[in-house]
Amino acid sequence: MEANNFIEEIINQELEEGKVDGVHTRFPPKPNGYLHIGHAKSLCLNFGTAEKYGGVCNLFFDDTNPSKEKTEYVDAIKADIEWLGFKWFEVHYASDFFDVIFEKAVKLIEDGKAFVCDLSAEEISATRGTLTEPGKESPYRNRSIEENLQLFYAMKDGRFADGEKVLRAKIDMSSPNINLRDPVIYRVLRATHHRTGDKWCIYPMYDFAHPICDSMQGVTHSLCTLEFEDHRPLYNWVVENTGVEHKPRQIEFARLNITNTVMSKRYLKKLVEDKAVTGWDDPRMPTLTGLRNRGVPAQALKNFCEAIGIAKANSEIEVSYLEHFIRDYLNAYAERAMAVFEPIKAVITNFPDKSEKEDFEINPSDETAGTRKITFSKEIYIDSEDFSLDPPPKYFRLKKDGYVRLKNAYIIKCDDVVLNEDGSVKELLCSYVPESKSGNDTSGIKVKGVIHWVSAEDCVDCEIRKYDYLLKDAEYPGQDFSERMNYDSVHVFKGKAEPYLKEVGEGKSFQLMRKGYYKTFDEDGKLVLSEIVSLKDSFKPINK
Ligand code: ATP
Ligand code: MG
């Protein structure tokens, strides 16, 4: 199998050396929030690697922190993974293994490798030492095995207050790796767990629970982000010292960061709680539910994840690169339609009173898509951006005494402009060139501009929403998200749309010609066109 990244190189080598005989991964979210686009990278990696090697990937809920977890998040995470089209092999929860993890802790105590410590969290952190200085051993480190066992069971039986005692692995207080300086592996915590309820009042720490859960599931490669690199020696220590049969291996990869994009679950949650967005699925949110609601195709996200690849060093990806993949996909699959923003009425004075139907190409990128009929009538609306009272040089859209082609219809000329009292444009009086019909133009008139339009006879009112990023560019590296908030990220326009955009119903994606990619929503009978991605591709490939 040809390796596409360093993880696959490792797997190939292990397979060759007979160290593993297959690949079993897991995607390990904490059920404390919704998944975001960073998780999509991890999902593509875990599910993609398993699939490539004919293996399987589990969905593993890392629910060792009961105070922040909710079943709502479990359900949302499952729905998001299904939306991306991944199929997990088995679903497991760390809480399913609480009994096993407890037994492993007892075994460590029996082997003299763990002790109950009475120091407070502050005292533990104060005696942990620094990168240059060793830590100080706890005065409780040499308790007898019997005393430790008795105290640990007493912890489990609820005989101590929260934080009063912890269980620590007895490793090495002078290790250069601080994670090995007698790390806490169990704590007393009274919190109702979303699955085990009040059965437990002690909970294992992530670093202790994770390797055991990986092992119990038969995971071969436990893929995680780079911040866990320093935890790997502890992961291996747990694997080696708890007597687990199956020995998984942890490999770290770089997390995904994207410009102008909030990628911290904690901060995303704050945006929801502060009502800075309408919810986890607000179309501006980089959550998977937000992206889905916005109209981003799952396949476009997967294409993006494949293109950015898997690296060992952190970096930041331009958000325009993501948009490039969304646009690319929609360009191929989205039907075209017309809607005008902030419409201006144009009356075609020499057009007969009876309307006619024109052919409209449904999708020029798809030969099989064909055409549909659109109405052309004496009164139409054009986009206010397509008319200028005071045109700059080389203005090829509509201006007084100027010609323009109406997409899929005729060439028109603006003969006169009727103004409102305030000087704004009320309507345009135009004439059309009968022999200039698209596809059969014998007029001989050359026009440089083509604009879109809708017929006043059958168009529908709509609201158009365009979005800006929730985050402004950072002014300096590491600037806090809260200082970069963009409070002006929704722009609303009045519009008129082809009736087709209403007839198709909710949740359809279109390329609104000359405007961008939009998704239809029905809000109490009102058509809303919500921006998915703009039309213009600002992404410049670096390697070209
Ligand atoms: P928290 O913010 O609560 O620490 P998290 O963002 O790390 O959570 P988890 O639910 O713990 O999210 O993550 C599940 C998996 O997704 C982990 O393996 C984690 O490393 C990975 N992951 C999270 N964020 C990213 C990211 N930005 N890029 C790549 N992988 C990520
Ligand atoms: Mg994390």
Side-chain angles (χ1 to χ4, degrees), residues 37 80 83 259-262 277-298 300-301 319-320 322-324 326-327 329-330 334 464-471 486 488-491 506-512 515-521 523 528-536:
I37 185 165
D80 286 342
W83 173 63
T259 57
N260 302 92
T261 307
V262 188
V277 292
T278 57
W280 287 97
D281 69 346
D282 186 299
R284 293 165 293 167
M285 290 282 271
T287 49
L288 297 186
T289 176
L291 291 162
R292 174 169 70 225
N293 188 31
R294 180 142 178 177
V296 170
L301 275 188
V319 67
S320 59
L322 168 63
E323 291 165 358
H324 167 82
I326 300 169
R327 193 178 291 116
Y329 185 90
L330 290 171
I464 291 147
R465 292 185 197 146
K466 273 172 77 92
Y467 305 107
D468 211 336
Y469 305 121
L470 277 175
L471 273 200
N486 175 11
D488 189 24
S489 53
V490 186
H491 302 280
E506 262 208 310
K508 297 283 190 306
S509 302
F510 285 90
Q511 185 196 97
L512 296 184
K515 285 301 190 182
Y517 294 93
Y518 283 78
K519 181 174 155 184
T520 58
F521 284 88
E523 287 184 3
V528 174
L529 298 171
S530 168
E531 183 182 44
I532 305 170
V533 69
S534 66
L535 210 50
K536 209 165 133 251

Coordinates of all heavy atoms in Angstrom, one line a residue, residues 37 80 83 259-262 277-298 300-301 319-320 322-324 326-327 329-330 334 464-471 486 488-491 506-512 515-521 523 528-536:
I37 N -14.9 21.8 12.4 CA -14.2 21.4 11.2 C -12.8 20.8 11.5 O -12.3 19.9 10.8 CB -14.1 22.5 10.2 CG1 -13.4 22.0 8.9 CG2 -13.4 23.7 10.8 CD1 -13.6 23.0 7.8
D80 N -23.5 14.2 13.1 CA -22.5 14.8 12.3 C -21.6 13.8 11.6 O -21.2 14.0 10.4 CB -21.6 15.7 13.2 CG -22.3 17.0 13.6 OD1 -23.3 17.3 13.0 OD2 -21.8 17.6 14.6
W83 N -23.5 12.3 8.8 CA -23.6 13.3 7.7 C -22.4 13.2 6.8 O -22.4 13.3 5.6 CB -23.8 14.7 8.3 CG -23.7 15.8 7.2 CD1 -24.6 15.9 6.1 CD2 -22.8 16.8 7.1 NE1 -24.2 17.0 5.4 CE2 -23.1 17.6 5.9 CE3 -21.7 17.2 7.9 CZ2 -22.3 18.7 5.5 CZ3 -20.9 18.3 7.4 CH2 -21.3 19.0 6.3
T259 N -7.5 30.2 9.3 CA -7.6 31.7 9.5 C -9.1 32.1 9.7 O -10.0 31.5 9.1 CB -7.0 32.4 8.4 OG1 -7.7 32.1 7.2 CG2 -5.5 32.2 8.2
N260 N -9.3 33.1 10.5 CA -10.7 33.7 10.7 C -11.7 32.7 11.2 O -12.9 32.8 11.1 CB -11.3 34.2 9.4 CG -10.4 35.3 8.8 OD1 -9.5 35.0 7.9 ND2 -10.6 36.5 9.2
T261 N -11.2 31.6 11.8 CA -12.1 30.5 12.3 C -11.9 30.1 13.7 O -10.7 29.8 14.1 CB -11.9 29.3 11.4 OG1 -12.1 29.7 10.0 CG2 -12.9 28.2 11.6
V262 N -12.9 30.2 14.5 CA -12.8 29.8 15.9 C -12.7 28.3 16.0 O -13.6 27.6 15.5 CB -14.1 30.1 16.7 CG1 -13.9 29.9 18.2 CG2 -14.6 31.5 16.4
V277 N -24.4 34.1 18.3 CA -24.9 33.4 17.1 C -26.2 32.8 17.5 O -26.6 32.8 18.7 CB -23.9 32.2 16.7 CG1 -22.6 32.8 16.3 CG2 -23.7 31.3 17.9
T278 N -27.0 32.2 16.5 CA -28.3 31.8 16.8 C -28.3 30.4 17.4 O -29.3 29.9 17.9 CB -29.2 31.7 15.5 OG1 -28.5 30.9 14.6 CG2 -29.4 33.1 14.9
G279 N -27.2 29.7 17.4 CA -27.1 28.4 18.0 C -25.8 27.6 17.4 O -25.1 28.2 16.6
W280 N -25.7 26.4 17.9 CA -24.5 25.6 17.4 C -24.6 25.5 15.8 O -23.6 25.2 15.2 CB -24.5 24.2 18.0 CG -24.1 24.2 19.4 CD1 -24.9 24.2 20.5 CD2 -22.8 24.2 19.9 NE1 -24.2 24.1 21.7 CE2 -22.8 24.1 21.3 CE3 -21.5 24.2 19.3 CZ2 -21.7 24.1 22.2 CZ3 -20.4 24.1 20.1 CH2 -20.5 24.1 21.5
D281 N -25.8 25.5 15.3 CA -26.0 25.3 13.8 C -26.1 26.6 13.1 O -26.5 26.6 11.9 CB -27.1 24.4 13.6 CG -28.5 25.1 13.9 OD1 -28.5 26.1 14.5 OD2 -29.5 24.5 13.4
D282 N -25.8 27.7 13.7 CA -25.7 29.0 13.0 C -24.8 28.9 11.7 O -23.8 28.3 11.8 CB -25.2 30.1 13.9 CG -25.3 31.5 13.3 OD1 -24.6 31.7 12.2 OD2 -25.9 32.4 13.9
P283 N -25.3 29.3 10.6 CA -24.5 29.1 9.4 C -23.1 29.7 9.4 O -22.3 29.4 8.6 CB -25.3 29.7 8.2 CG -26.5 30.4 8.9 CD -26.6 30.0 10.3
R284 N -22.8 30.6 10.4 CA -21.5 31.2 10.4 C -20.6 30.3 11.3 O -19.4 30.6 11.4 CB -21.6 32.6 11.1 CG -22.2 33.6 10.2 CD -22.6 34.9 11.0 NE -23.6 34.5 12.0 CZ -24.0 35.3 13.0 NH1 -23.4 36.5 13.2 NH2 -24.9 35.0 13.9
M285 N -21.1 29.4 12.0 CA -20.3 28.5 12.9 C -19.5 27.5 12.2 O -20.0 26.9 11.2 CB -21.3 27.8 13.9 CG -21.9 28.8 14.9 SD -20.8 29.2 16.2 CE -21.1 27.9 17.4
P286 N -18.2 27.3 12.6 CA -17.4 26.3 11.9 C -17.7 24.9 12.5 O -16.9 24.0 12.3 CB -16.0 26.7 12.3 CG -16.2 27.3 13.6 CD -17.5 28.0 13.7
T287 N -18.8 24.7 13.2 CA -19.2 23.4 13.6 C -19.7 22.6 12.4 O -20.2 23.2 11.4 CB -20.4 23.5 14.6 OG1 -21.4 24.4 14.0 CG2 -20.0 24.1 15.9
L288 N -19.7 21.3 12.5 CA -20.2 20.5 11.4 C -21.7 20.7 11.2 O -22.2 20.8 10.0 CB -19.9 19.0 11.6 CG -18.4 18.7 11.7 CD1 -18.2 17.2 11.8 CD2 -17.6 19.2 10.5
T289 N -22.4 20.9 12.3 CA -23.8 21.2 12.1 C -24.1 22.6 11.5 O -25.0 22.8 10.7 CB -24.6 21.0 13.5 OG1 -25.9 21.3 13.3 CG2 -24.1 21.8 14.6
G290 N -23.2 23.5 11.8 CA -23.3 24.8 11.2 C -23.0 24.8 9.7 O -23.7 25.4 8.9
L291 N -21.9 24.1 9.4 CA -21.5 24.0 8.0 C -22.6 23.2 7.2 O -22.9 23.6 6.0 CB -20.2 23.2 7.9 CG -19.0 24.0 8.4 CD1 -17.8 23.0 8.7 CD2 -18.5 25.1 7.5
R292 N -23.2 22.2 7.8 CA -24.3 21.5 7.1 C -25.5 22.4 6.9 O -26.0 22.4 5.8 CB -24.7 20.3 7.9 CG -25.9 19.5 7.4 CD -26.0 18.2 8.1 NE -26.5 18.3 9.5 CZ -26.0 17.7 10.5 NH1 -25.0 16.8 10.3 NH2 -26.5 17.9 11.7
N293 N -25.8 23.1 7.9 CA -27.0 24.0 7.8 C -26.7 25.1 6.8 O -27.6 25.6 6.1 CB -27.2 24.7 9.2 CG -28.5 25.5 9.3 OD1 -29.4 25.2 8.6 ND2 -28.5 26.5 10.1
R294 N -25.4 25.5 6.7 CA -25.1 26.6 5.7 C -25.2 26.1 4.3 O -25.4 26.9 3.4 CB -23.6 27.0 6.0 CG -23.2 28.1 5.0 CD -22.3 29.1 5.7 NE -21.8 30.1 4.8 CZ -21.1 31.1 5.2 NH1 -20.8 31.2 6.5 NH2 -20.7 32.0 4.4
G295 N -25.1 24.8 4.1 CA -25.2 24.2 2.8 C -23.9 23.7 2.2 O -23.7 23.5 1.0
V296 N -22.9 23.6 3.1 CA -21.6 23.1 2.7 C -21.7 21.6 2.4 O -22.2 20.9 3.3 CB -20.5 23.4 3.7 CG1 -19.2 22.6 3.4 CG2 -20.2 24.9 3.8
P297 N -21.4 21.1 1.2 CA -21.5 19.7 1.0 C -20.5 18.9 1.8 O -19.3 19.3 1.9 CB -21.3 19.5 -0.5 CG -21.3 20.9 -1.1 CD -20.9 21.8 0.0
A298 N -20.9 17.7 2.4 CA -20.0 16.9 3.1 C -18.8 16.5 2.3 O -17.6 16.5 2.8 CB -20.7 15.6 3.6
A300 N -17.3 18.1 0.0 CA -16.4 19.2 -0.2 C -15.5 19.3 1.0 O -14.3 19.6 0.9 CB -17.1 20.6 -0.4
L301 N -16.0 19.0 2.2 CA -15.2 19.0 3.4 C -14.2 17.9 3.4 O -13.0 18.1 3.7 CB -16.1 18.8 4.6 CG -16.7 20.0 5.3 CD1 -17.4 19.6 6.6 CD2 -15.7 21.1 5.5
V319 N -8.5 30.3 5.1 CA -9.9 29.9 5.0 C -10.4 29.9 3.5 O -11.3 29.1 3.1 CB -10.8 30.8 5.9 CG1 -10.8 32.3 5.4 CG2 -12.3 30.3 6.0
S320 N -9.7 30.7 2.7 CA -10.0 30.7 1.3 C -9.7 29.3 0.6 O -10.3 29.0 -0.4 CB -9.3 31.8 0.6 OG -7.9 31.6 0.7
L322 N -10.4 26.4 2.1 CA -11.6 25.6 2.3 C -12.7 26.1 1.4 O -13.4 25.3 0.8 CB -12.0 25.9 3.8 CG -13.4 25.4 4.2 CD1 -13.5 23.9 4.0 CD2 -13.7 25.8 5.6
E323 N -12.9 27.4 1.2 CA -13.9 27.9 0.4 C -13.7 27.4 -1.1 O -14.7 27.2 -1.8 CB -13.9 29.4 0.4 CG -14.4 29.9 1.8 CD -14.1 31.4 2.0 OE1 -13.5 32.0 1.2 OE2 -14.5 31.9 3.1
H324 N -12.5 27.3 -1.5 CA -12.2 26.9 -2.8 C -12.8 25.5 -3.1 O -13.4 25.2 -4.1 CB -10.6 26.9 -2.9 CG -10.1 26.1 -4.1 ND1 -10.0 26.7 -5.4 CD2 -9.6 24.9 -4.3 CE1 -9.5 25.8 -6.2 NE2 -9.3 24.7 -5.6
I326 N -15.4 24.1 -1.5 CA -16.8 24.2 -1.4 C -17.3 24.7 -2.8 O -18.3 24.2 -3.3 CB -17.3 25.2 -0.3 CG1 -16.7 24.7 1.1 CG2 -18.8 25.3 -0.3 CD1 -16.9 25.7 2.2
R327 N -16.7 25.7 -3.3 CA -17.1 26.3 -4.5 C -16.9 25.4 -5.7 O -17.8 25.2 -6.6 CB -16.2 27.6 -4.8 CG -16.6 28.5 -5.9 CD -15.7 29.7 -5.9 NE -15.8 30.5 -4.8 CZ -14.8 30.8 -3.9 NH1 -13.7 30.2 -4.0 NH2 -15.1 31.6 -2.9
Y329 N -17.0 22.2 -5.6 CA -18.0 21.1 -5.6 C -19.3 21.6 -6.1 O -20.0 21.0 -6.9 CB -18.1 20.5 -4.2 CG -19.0 19.4 -4.1 CD1 -18.6 18.1 -4.3 CD2 -20.4 19.6 -3.9 CE1 -19.4 17.0 -4.2 CE2 -21.3 18.5 -3.9 CZ -20.8 17.2 -4.0 OH -21.6 16.1 -4.0
L330 N -19.7 22.8 -5.5 CA -21.0 23.4 -5.9 C -21.1 23.8 -7.4 O -22.1 23.6 -8.0 CB -21.3 24.6 -5.0 CG -21.7 24.2 -3.6 CD1 -21.7 25.5 -2.7 CD2 -23.0 23.4 -3.4
A334 N -24.4 22.3 -8.4 CA -25.5 23.2 -8.1 C -26.2 23.7 -9.3 O -25.5 24.2 -10.3 CB -25.0 24.4 -7.2
I464 N -32.2 38.1 1.5 CA -30.9 37.5 1.1 C -30.0 37.8 2.3 O -29.9 38.9 2.8 CB -30.4 38.1 -0.2 CG1 -31.3 37.6 -1.3 CG2 -28.9 37.7 -0.4 CD1 -31.4 38.6 -2.4
R465 N -29.3 36.7 2.7 CA -28.3 36.9 3.8 C -26.9 36.5 3.4 O -26.7 35.4 2.9 CB -28.7 36.0 5.0 CG -30.0 36.4 5.6 CD -30.4 35.6 6.9 NE -31.8 35.9 7.1 CZ -32.6 35.0 7.6 NH1 -32.2 33.8 8.0 NH2 -33.9 35.2 7.8
K466 N -26.1 37.5 3.5 CA -24.6 37.2 3.2 C -23.9 37.2 4.5 O -24.2 38.0 5.5 CB -24.1 38.3 2.3 CG -24.3 38.1 0.9 CD -23.9 39.4 0.1 CE -22.4 39.5 0.0 NZ -21.9 39.0 -1.3
Y467 N -22.8 36.4 4.6 CA -22.1 36.3 5.9 C -20.6 36.8 5.7 O -20.0 36.6 4.7 CB -22.1 34.9 6.4 CG -23.5 34.4 6.5 CD1 -24.0 33.4 5.6 CD2 -24.4 34.9 7.5 CE1 -25.3 33.0 5.7 CE2 -25.7 34.4 7.6 CZ -26.2 33.5 6.7 OH -27.4 33.1 6.8
D468 N -20.2 37.3 6.8 CA -18.7 37.6 7.0 C -18.2 36.6 8.0 O -18.9 35.9 8.7 CB -18.6 39.0 7.4 CG -17.3 39.7 6.9 OD1 -16.4 38.9 6.6 OD2 -17.3 40.9 6.8
Y469 N -16.9 36.6 8.2 CA -16.3 35.7 9.2 C -16.7 36.1 10.6 O -16.8 37.3 10.9 CB -14.8 35.6 9.1 CG -14.4 35.2 7.7 CD1 -13.6 36.1 6.9 CD2 -14.8 34.0 7.1 CE1 -13.2 35.7 5.6 CE2 -14.4 33.7 5.8 CZ -13.6 34.5 5.1 OH -13.3 34.1 3.8
L470 N -16.8 35.2 11.5 CA -17.1 35.5 12.9 C -15.8 36.1 13.6 O -15.9 36.8 14.5 CB -17.4 34.2 13.7 CG -18.9 33.8 13.6 CD1 -19.0 32.4 14.3 CD2 -19.8 34.8 14.2
L471 N -14.7 35.8 13.0 CA -13.4 36.3 13.6 C -12.7 37.2 12.6 O -12.6 36.8 11.4 CB -12.5 35.1 13.9 CG -12.5 34.4 15.1 CD1 -11.2 33.6 15.3 CD2 -12.8 35.3 16.3
N486 N -16.0 39.6 15.3 CA -16.6 40.5 14.3 C -18.1 40.6 14.6 O -18.8 39.6 14.4 CB -16.3 39.9 12.9 CG -17.0 40.7 11.8 OD1 -17.5 41.8 12.1 ND2 -17.0 40.1 10.6
D488 N -20.3 42.3 13.1 CA -21.0 42.7 11.9 C -20.9 41.6 10.8 O -20.5 41.9 9.7 CB -20.5 44.0 11.4 CG -21.4 44.6 10.3 OD1 -22.6 44.3 10.3 OD2 -20.8 45.4 9.5
S489 N -21.4 40.4 11.2 CA -21.1 39.3 10.3 C -22.3 38.8 9.5 O -22.2 37.9 8.7 CB -20.4 38.1 11.0 OG -21.2 37.8 12.1
V490 N -23.5 39.5 9.7 CA -24.6 39.1 8.8 C -25.1 40.3 8.1 O -25.3 41.4 8.7 CB -25.8 38.6 9.7 CG1 -26.9 38.1 8.8 CG2 -25.4 37.5 10.7
H491 N -25.2 40.2 6.8 CA -25.7 41.4 6.0 C -27.0 40.9 5.3 O -27.0 39.9 4.6 CB -24.6 41.8 5.0 CG -23.3 42.2 5.7 ND1 -23.1 43.4 6.2 CD2 -22.2 41.4 5.9 CE1 -22.0 43.4 6.8 NE2 -21.4 42.3 6.6
E506 N -37.3 24.0 0.8 CA -36.1 24.3 1.6 C -34.9 23.4 1.4 O -35.1 22.3 1.0 CB -36.6 24.1 3.1 CG -37.0 25.3 3.8 CD -36.7 25.2 5.3 OE1 -37.1 24.2 5.9 OE2 -36.1 26.1 5.8
G507 N -33.8 24.0 1.7 CA -32.6 23.2 1.7 C -31.9 22.8 0.4 O -31.1 21.9 0.3
K508 N -32.2 23.6 -0.6 CA -31.6 23.3 -1.9 C -30.5 24.4 -2.2 O -30.7 25.6 -1.8 CB -32.6 23.4 -3.1 CG -33.8 22.4 -3.0 CD -33.3 21.0 -3.4 CE -34.4 20.0 -3.6 NZ -35.3 19.9 -2.4
S509 N -29.4 23.9 -2.8 CA -28.3 24.9 -3.0 C -28.3 25.3 -4.5 O -28.5 24.4 -5.4 CB -27.0 24.2 -2.7 OG -27.0 23.7 -1.4
F510 N -28.0 26.5 -4.7 CA -28.0 27.1 -6.1 C -26.8 28.0 -6.3 O -26.3 28.6 -5.3 CB -29.3 28.0 -6.3 CG -30.5 27.2 -6.5 CD1 -31.3 26.9 -5.4 CD2 -30.9 26.8 -7.7 CE1 -32.4 26.1 -5.6 CE2 -32.0 26.0 -7.9 CZ -32.8 25.7 -6.8
Q511 N -26.4 28.1 -7.5 CA -25.6 29.2 -7.9 C -26.5 30.3 -8.3 O -27.1 30.2 -9.4 CB -24.6 28.9 -9.0 CG -23.6 30.0 -9.3 CD -22.9 29.9 -10.6 OE1 -23.3 30.5 -11.6 NE2 -21.8 29.2 -10.6
L512 N -26.6 31.4 -7.6 CA -27.4 32.6 -8.0 C -26.4 33.3 -9.0 O -25.3 33.7 -8.6 CB -27.7 33.5 -6.9 CG -28.7 32.9 -5.8 CD1 -29.0 34.0 -4.8 CD2 -29.9 32.3 -6.5
K515 N -23.8 36.1 -8.4 CA -23.9 36.5 -7.0 C -23.2 35.6 -6.1 O -22.5 36.0 -5.1 CB -25.4 36.5 -6.6 CG -26.1 37.8 -7.2 CD -25.4 39.0 -6.6 CE -26.1 40.3 -6.9 NZ -25.4 41.5 -6.4
G516 N -23.3 34.3 -6.3 CA -22.7 33.4 -5.4 C -23.5 32.1 -5.2 O -24.5 31.9 -5.8
Y517 N -23.1 31.3 -4.2 CA -23.8 30.0 -4.0 C -24.7 30.3 -2.7 O -24.2 30.8 -1.7 CB -22.8 28.9 -3.7 CG -22.1 28.5 -5.0 CD1 -20.9 29.1 -5.3 CD2 -22.7 27.7 -6.0 CE1 -20.2 28.9 -6.5 CE2 -22.0 27.4 -7.2 CZ -20.8 28.0 -7.4 OH -20.2 27.8 -8.6
Y518 N -26.0 29.9 -2.9 CA -26.9 30.2 -1.8 C -27.8 29.0 -1.6 O -28.0 28.2 -2.5 CB -27.8 31.4 -2.2 CG -27.1 32.7 -2.1 CD1 -26.2 33.1 -3.0 CD2 -27.4 33.5 -1.0 CE1 -25.5 34.3 -2.8 CE2 -26.7 34.7 -0.8 CZ -25.8 35.1 -1.7 OH -25.1 36.3 -1.5
K519 N -28.3 28.9 -0.3 CA -29.2 27.8 0.0 C -30.6 28.4 0.3 O -30.7 29.4 0.9 CB -28.6 27.1 1.2 CG -29.5 25.9 1.7 CD -28.8 25.1 2.8 CE -29.8 24.4 3.7 NZ -29.1 23.7 4.8
T520 N -31.6 27.6 0.0 CA -33.0 28.1 0.2 C -33.5 27.7 1.6 O -33.2 26.6 2.1 CB -34.0 27.5 -0.8 OG1 -33.9 26.1 -0.7 CG2 -33.7 27.9 -2.2
F521 N -34.2 28.7 2.3 CA -34.8 28.4 3.5 C -36.3 29.0 3.4 O -36.5 29.9 2.7 CB -34.1 29.1 4.7 CG -32.9 28.5 5.1 CD1 -31.7 28.8 4.5 CD2 -32.9 27.5 6.1 CE1 -30.5 28.2 4.9 CE2 -31.7 26.9 6.5 CZ -30.5 27.3 5.9
E523 N -38.9 30.6 5.8 CA -39.2 31.1 7.2 C -40.6 31.6 7.3 O -40.9 32.7 6.8 CB -38.1 32.1 7.6 CG -36.8 31.5 7.9 CD -35.7 32.5 8.4 OE1 -36.0 33.7 8.5 OE2 -34.6 32.0 8.5
V528 N -36.0 32.7 2.0 CA -34.7 33.2 2.5 C -33.6 32.6 1.7 O -33.6 31.3 1.5 CB -34.5 33.0 4.0 CG1 -33.1 33.5 4.4 CG2 -35.5 33.8 4.8
L529 N -32.7 33.4 1.1 CA -31.6 32.8 0.3 C -30.3 33.1 1.2 O -30.0 34.3 1.4 CB -31.5 33.5 -1.0 CG -32.7 33.2 -1.9 CD1 -32.6 34.0 -3.2 CD2 -32.7 31.7 -2.3
S530 N -29.7 32.1 1.7 CA -28.6 32.2 2.6 C -27.3 31.8 2.0 O -27.2 30.7 1.4 CB -29.0 31.3 3.8 OG -27.9 31.1 4.7
E531 N -26.3 32.7 2.1 CA -25.1 32.5 1.4 C -24.3 31.2 1.9 O -24.2 31.0 3.1 CB -24.2 33.7 1.6 CG -22.9 33.6 0.8 CD -21.9 34.8 1.0 OE1 -21.8 35.2 2.2 OE2 -21.4 35.3 0.0
I532 N -23.9 30.4 0.9 CA -23.0 29.3 1.3 C -21.5 29.8 1.1 O -20.7 29.7 2.0 CB -23.2 28.1 0.4 CG1 -24.7 27.7 0.4 CG2 -22.3 26.9 0.8 CD1 -25.1 26.6 -0.6
V533 N -21.2 30.3 -0.1 CA -19.9 30.8 -0.4 C -20.0 31.7 -1.6 O -20.9 31.6 -2.4 CB -18.9 29.6 -0.7 CG1 -19.3 28.9 -2.0 CG2 -17.5 30.0 -0.7
S534 N -19.1 32.7 -1.6 CA -19.2 33.7 -2.6 C -18.7 33.1 -4.0 O -18.2 32.0 -4.0 CB -18.3 34.9 -2.3 OG -16.9 34.5 -2.3
L535 N -18.9 33.8 -5.0 CA -18.6 33.3 -6.3 C -17.1 33.4 -6.6 O -16.5 32.6 -7.4 CB -19.4 34.1 -7.4 CG -19.8 33.4 -8.6 CD1 -20.5 32.1 -8.4 CD2 -20.7 34.3 -9.4
K536 N -16.5 34.4 -6.1 CA -15.1 34.7 -6.4 C -14.1 33.9 -5.7 O -14.2 33.8 -4.5 CB -14.8 36.2 -6.2 CG -13.8 36.7 -7.2 CD -13.8 38.2 -7.2 CE -12.4 38.7 -7.1 NZ -12.0 39.4 -5.9

